[in-house]
Amino acid sequence: MNLRSLILALLFILLASAGVYYYLTLPVTVTVTQPVRGPAVEAVYATGNVEPVHWAKVGPKGTARIEQILVREGESVSEGKILAQLNDVEARARVAQLSAQERLLQSEVQRLTPLLAKGYVGKQAYDRTVSEQRQARASLAAAQQVVNDLSLRAPMDGIVLRQDGEPGETVTSAHVLFWVGELNPLRITAEVDEEDIPRVKPGQRVIIKADAFPNAAPEGTISEITPLGDPINKSYRVRVSLPADTRLKIGMTTEVNIIVRETPQALLVPITAVSNNTAWRVRDGKATPVAVTTGALDAQRIEITSGLSDDDSLIVVPPAGLKAGDRVRTKAQPTS
């Protein structure tokens, strides 16, 4: 290779090296923004159903056939009113049998009592008859209670909220035939995960979402937290009281967000700007990772509780492979 060719080759290598160096050190263009101040809300999510505060279910204690339905949905009832009559033919026959047996034993006790006093009958025979009479009386009382239970009665004053079952249908103790309660006040009973329950307290504000009112966000207040949790579902029952003018209806399924913390003027950044508790700040044209502590978040923004200030310039979407000290060219995030 002559001298001229060697010089040209070296020149080519130098130019190529310079091009690679320039390419490798070319600043990356990134979109930047500054944190903004705004409300941050941290909430515990749960689902629940709307129900009356005062209500009860009514159903049979055993298997029986419905003879009569005496009230229907929407009717007012007073405590003790018969709601439905179940077939009691066999139960009443049992009562009649035991009643006759108890009367016979009672007569026998009355006959033996004066004989015992005169010594004509032994104490052991008398005591046995008295014991049998008492057992018969207890059996009669139990049988009479079975008859009484076949007349389903209202457990309280209120409205028949729902009624199931028709005459002729055979029902069991698993069936609920009547829901009786008051239309107001109402509440939501929700199940809260056991991991979240330490943050839930009576008096906290609750934002409610119901499919029936997609454009509304009714509110309620935590009124009760059951002390005993469900070890199977790993949840606790929480009651949410509703205002008297609520549009929610009994039986509606709802989503509840229990507000556990509110910060009116929190420091907020785009949720894409933070990954693994790290944000990228731009100063003097260079990118620097910053450890941050985060708080509440929503679909677009996340709260920064420490690590950043209001005047920091942050990369909205840090590019893959970005390293501390890399040069960047910035452009402002477009306003929406």
Side-chain angles (χ1 to χ4, degrees):
M1 177 181 296
N2 56 34
L3 181 60
R4 183 171 178 276
S5 298
L6 179 61
I7 291 173
L8 289 174
L10 291 173
L11 183 59
F12 176 79
I13 293 173
L14 288 173
L15 290 174
S17 299
V20 171
Y21 176 79
Y22 176 79
Y23 176 79
L24 293 176
T25 59
L26 184 67
V28 178
T29 300
V30 295
T31 302
V32 295
T33 189
Q34 284 185 303
V36 297
R37 291 285 176 176
V41 176
E42 194 169 352
V44 167
Y45 174 85
T47 59
N49 297 307
V50 180
E51 62 182 27
V53 173
H54 305 292
W55 70 302
K57 300 175 183 178
V58 181
K61 293 186 175 180
T63 301
R65 188 177 70 253
I66 301 174
E67 291 290 335
Q68 289 180 290
I69 297 293
L70 301 173
V71 298
R72 293 293 180 175
E73 294 168 344
E75 292 186 27
S76 297
V77 294
S78 57
E79 182 178 355
K81 179 180 176 61
I82 298 179
L83 307 177
Q85 180 62 54
L86 307 182
N87 185 281
D88 60 359
V89 174
E90 291 185 10
R92 289 189 178 278
R94 175 67 173 163
V95 167
Q97 177 188 358
L98 290 173
S99 179
Q101 182 180 346
E102 193 275 334
R103 287 196 304 271
L104 179 62
L105 288 169
Q106 185 178 20
S107 297
E108 184 66 7
V109 170
Q110 292 173 349
R111 186 185 71 83
L112 293 177
T113 299
L115 296 178
L116 175 66
K118 296 178 180 180
Y120 295 151
V121 66
K123 182 72 164 55
Q124 185 176 5
Y126 177 80
D127 288 344
R128 182 171 58 253
T129 304
V130 170
S131 176
E132 289 175 353
Q133 192 264 337
R134 289 174 178 171
Q135 291 178 18
R137 185 184 299 168
S139 297
L140 175 60
Q144 184 60 56
Q145 185 60 52
V146 171
V147 172
N148 295 341
D149 290 341
L150 291 171
S151 296
L152 302 185
R153 298 177 182 272
M156 60 185 294
D157 296 344
I159 302 292
V160 179
L161 304 172
R162 177 170 170 170
Q163 179 266 314
D164 286 336
E166 295 296 336
E169 183 179 351
T170 298
V171 291
T172 70
S173 58
H175 289 85
V176 177
L177 298 186
F178 298 91
W179 285 256
V180 178
E182 299 175 355
L183 296 177
N184 280 297
L186 299 182
R187 69 185 180 191
I188 294 173
T189 295
E191 296 293 329
V192 175
D193 191 278
E194 65 180 11
E195 294 182 359
D196 295 322
I197 203 66
R199 307 164 67 198
V200 178
K201 298 176 177 59
Q204 288 174 329
R205 190 163 62 95
V206 179
I207 306 299
I208 303 162
K209 179 181 178 182
D211 290 341
F213 306 106
N215 298 321
E219 294 191 11
T221 306
I222 298 294
S223 58
E224 301 175 34
I225 303 170
T226 54
L228 177 62
D230 184 340
I232 304 300
N233 296 322
K234 296 184 177 181
S235 62
Y236 282 76
R237 185 172 297 161
V238 173
R239 312 283 194 191
V240 179
S241 62
L242 296 172
D245 61 351
T246 181
R247 293 194 294 164
L248 297 175
K249 302 295 184 183
I250 297 171
M252 282 185 175
T253 300
T254 61
E255 300 177 12
V256 299
N257 288 279
I258 303 166
I259 308 304
V260 297
R261 184 175 65 85
E262 288 185 89
T263 304
Q265 289 295 314
L267 195 67
L268 305 174
V269 301
I271 197 169
T272 56
V274 180
S275 177
N276 297 322
N277 290 328
T278 300
W280 287 84
R281 180 168 54 199
V282 176
R283 283 184 178 174
D284 301 326
K286 294 183 179 180
T288 304
V290 180
V292 296
T293 303
T294 60
L297 58 85
D298 58 25
Q300 296 181 329
R301 298 188 297 184
I302 186 169
E303 177 190 14
I304 303 298
T305 58
S306 67
L308 295 176
S309 61
D310 295 70
D311 57 356
D312 280 326
S313 181
L314 300 178
I315 300 177
V316 176
V317 182
L322 187 65
K323 300 185 295 296
D326 281 358
R327 293 191 305 117
V328 293
R329 181 183 295 113
T330 63
K331 64 178 182 178
Q333 184 181 30
T335 58
S336 55

